Amino acid sequence: MAYGIPERAVMIALMALNKETLNSELKNRYRLDLRKPARDKLNRDGLVQSRRLEGGRGYAHELTDAGWVWVVAELEEKAPDRAGSAGGALYALLNGLKAALDARGMLIQELFAATSSAVPQPSGSLRDRIREAYRNLASRPWDWVELRDLRAQLGDWPRRDVDPELIRMFRAKEVNLTLHEDRGRLTQADRDAALRLGVDDMHLISME
């Protein structure tokens, strides 16, 4: 099955990230947007698994085992026609990566498994990290974002630090917080990620 540059780029990015990744993160951070026609094609071919987020707020994507097989085979391929200079550079990197892995007797899955299991260390201020995490998730300023997704982006910060900072930002009117009105649609992940504000649990956050 032939794939265009946008589809190839998304699969290669998902390989490098080696985790379920929000479409908004792919779009905002990496300028990749897996839209419906390409998403349906990759889902149908069994290379990417896409999950619709709670409340219909976009999708999250992850490579399947078959998707990993496709990417591994792509490491040895030349740049496709009309790849452009950025596409050519990407395939030069993939070819070089394959040569480096072979020289070390490693599989690419081992390389990215090692990087994904490493525990990142906090860097920069927590407030800056919260803003950065939000921008990775939101399509535009003041969009509502699930707190559970925001927390996933802040996995290296203790919750005992994150929750007070979110409350300070709320009181300073730097963020908005609200709850899911339809409690019947809440998942356990939503409940676990909720922030208690007064007598209510907040599940959604927005900011500029």
Side-chain angles (χ1 to χ4, degrees), residues 57 87 123 129 148 182 208:
R57 299 174 183 273
S123 61
R129 285 286 301 279
R148 67 176 186 183
D182 186 356
E208 189 172 9

Side-chain angles (χ1 to χ4, degrees), residues 4 7 59-60 79 90 95 115 124 137 143 148 153 155 176 185 197:
E7 297 146 337
Y59 287 84
L90 173 61
N95 295 166
T115 58
L137 297 168
D143 270 358
R148 67 176 186 183
Q153 296 262 327
N176 289 330
R185 298 185 64 180
L197 198 61

Side-chain angles (χ1 to χ4, degrees), residues 12 18 26 48 58-59 67 77 101 105 127 132 146 148 150 155 172 181 187 192 200:
I12 291 166
N18 195 27
L26 290 173
V48 171
Y59 287 84
E77 295 296 323
L101 290 169
R127 189 165 295 198
E132 180 185 4
E146 303 278 353
R148 67 176 186 183
L150 185 81
E181 294 184 358
T187 66
D192 292 342
D200 292 314

Side-chain angles (χ1 to χ4, degrees), residues 13 16-17 19 21-33 120 123 128-139 152-154 156:
L17 294 167
K19 63 182 178 68
T21 303
L22 295 170
N23 196 71
S24 57
E25 180 179 354
L26 290 173
K27 184 176 180 179
N28 296 336
R29 174 169 282 194
Y30 305 108
R31 300 296 184 263
L32 300 170
D33 189 7
S123 61
D128 287 344
R129 285 286 301 279
I130 290 172
R131 291 193 181 103
E132 180 185 4
Y134 175 82
R135 289 169 187 145
N136 288 339
L137 297 168
S139 298
Q153 296 262 327
L154 300 170
D156 51 337

Side-chain angles (χ1 to χ4, degrees), residues 12-198:
I12 291 166
L14 290 174
M15 170 205 66
L17 294 167
N18 195 27
K19 63 182 178 68
E20 185 183 65
T21 303
L22 295 170
N23 196 71
S24 57
E25 180 179 354
L26 290 173
K27 184 176 180 179
N28 296 336
R29 174 169 282 194
Y30 305 108
R31 300 296 184 263
L32 300 170
D33 189 7
L34 189 57
R35 298 185 179 182
K36 187 178 188 307
R39 183 183 71 238
D40 289 348
K41 182 178 182 180
L42 293 176
N43 291 169
R44 186 171 57 249
D45 292 346
L47 302 181
V48 171
Q49 177 176 300
S50 299
R51 174 177 66 86
R52 191 171 180 83
L53 301 180
E54 189 73 21
R57 299 174 183 273
Y59 287 84
H61 312 292
E62 188 171 9
L63 275 186
T64 64
D65 289 344
W68 273 96
V69 170
W70 182 92
V71 174
V72 168
E74 203 69 8
L75 295 177
E76 299 182 276
E77 295 296 323
K78 66 177 184 178
D81 294 338
R82 300 178 184 175
S85 56
L90 173 61
Y91 273 78
L93 177 61
L94 292 178
N95 295 166
L97 181 59
K98 176 67 164 63
L101 290 169
D102 288 348
R104 292 163 177 77
M106 291 180 65
L107 299 174
I108 195 167
Q109 293 92 330
E110 296 174 313
L111 173 65
F112 287 110
T115 58
S116 66
S117 62
V119 178
Q121 296 301 314
S123 61
S125 74
L126 175 54
R127 189 165 295 198
D128 287 344
R129 285 286 301 279
I130 290 172
R131 291 193 181 103
E132 180 185 4
Y134 175 82
R135 289 169 187 145
N136 288 339
L137 297 168
S139 298
R140 60 183 66 86
W142 301 113
D143 270 358
W144 289 110
V145 164
E146 303 278 353
L147 266 176
R148 67 176 186 183
D149 294 330
L150 185 81
R151 291 192 189 280
Q153 296 262 327
L154 300 170
D156 51 337
W157 282 92
R159 185 162 178 163
R160 65 177 180 272
D161 295 335
V162 172
D163 285 9
E165 187 65 26
L166 289 173
I167 291 172
R168 283 191 289 268
M169 293 175 75
F170 175 76
R171 289 174 176 166
K173 299 183 178 179
E174 296 178 24
V175 306
N176 289 330
L177 294 164
T178 192
L179 47 77
H180 273 302
E181 294 184 358
D182 186 356
R183 298 303 180 92
R185 298 185 64 180
L186 289 175
T187 66
Q188 189 59 48
D190 291 319
R191 296 186 184 94
D192 292 342
L195 175 67
R196 176 55 64 96
L197 198 61

